[in-house]
Amino acid sequence: MRYLGLVAGLMAGGMFFACTQPTLAQAETDVSVLAGTCTNCHGSNKNWKGVIPGLAGRPEPILLGLLKSYKAGDPNATVMSRIARGYSEDDLQAIANYYSKIKK
Ligand code: HEC
């Protein structure tokens, strides 16, 4: 009996969790989710001072060109050819567009 509150709480929590979990399809259509995976290494804004070049605010055609060449297996890349291969051309286009639109 004294666990009833706990069980009810867990069930309510589970239901809340189930309702708020986005489906994979929803996550994939939100470009900020796709682009978010890049920020560890490339930063998320123009103030990025990392060793790896930033992406924010750079022209879309340049970013897309680089990403397509990584996807095609650019031999000079270390990680990017592996990363870019995980995305469709449409995804890469959307990601390049997303970063090009960041103003600061
Ligand atoms: C694990 C760290 C890491 C992650 C995550 C990562 N990158 Fe990179 N990126 C690099 C490195 C390192 C380079 C330099 C090329 C190489 O060695 O592969 C690079 C190069 C680039 C370049 C070329 C930059 C330039 O000016 O030459 C672009 C564009 C790029 N990455 C886009 C992305 C995008 C878009 C994502 C997310 C989908 C992403 N990267 C995720 C590490 C990463």
Side-chain angles (χ1 to χ4, degrees):
M1 235 11 208
R2 58 185 227 262
Y3 296 114
L4 203 60
L6 177 65
V7 170
L10 285 174
M11 280 170 64
M15 271 152 59
F16 179 73
F17 187 70
C19 294
T20 53
Q21 272 294 295
T23 65
L24 187 59
Q26 280 168 329
E28 278 172 349
T29 54
D30 185 346
V31 65
S32 67
V33 174
L34 296 179
T37 62
C38 324
T39 59
N40 253 1
C41 300
H42 291 281
S44 57
N45 58 48
K46 287 184 163 181
N47 295 325
W48 175 248
K49 305 268 189 298
V51 178
I52 299 171
L55 306 175
R58 294 178 55 189
E60 181 178 337
I62 302 228
L63 293 176
L64 186 59
L66 288 160
L67 289 167
K68 279 185 172 171
S69 75
Y70 289 135
K71 188 174 169 67
D74 182 342
N76 296 317
T78 55
V79 289
M80 279 313 298
S81 45
R82 283 179 276 164
I83 290 172
R85 231 174 289 161
Y87 296 88
S88 69
E89 294 235 347
D90 285 352
D91 291 340
L92 295 178
Q93 168 94 59
I95 291 170
N97 178 269
Y98 174 89
Y99 278 107
S100 72
K101 296 251 158 66
I102 295 175
K103 300 275 185 262
K104 50 184 176 171

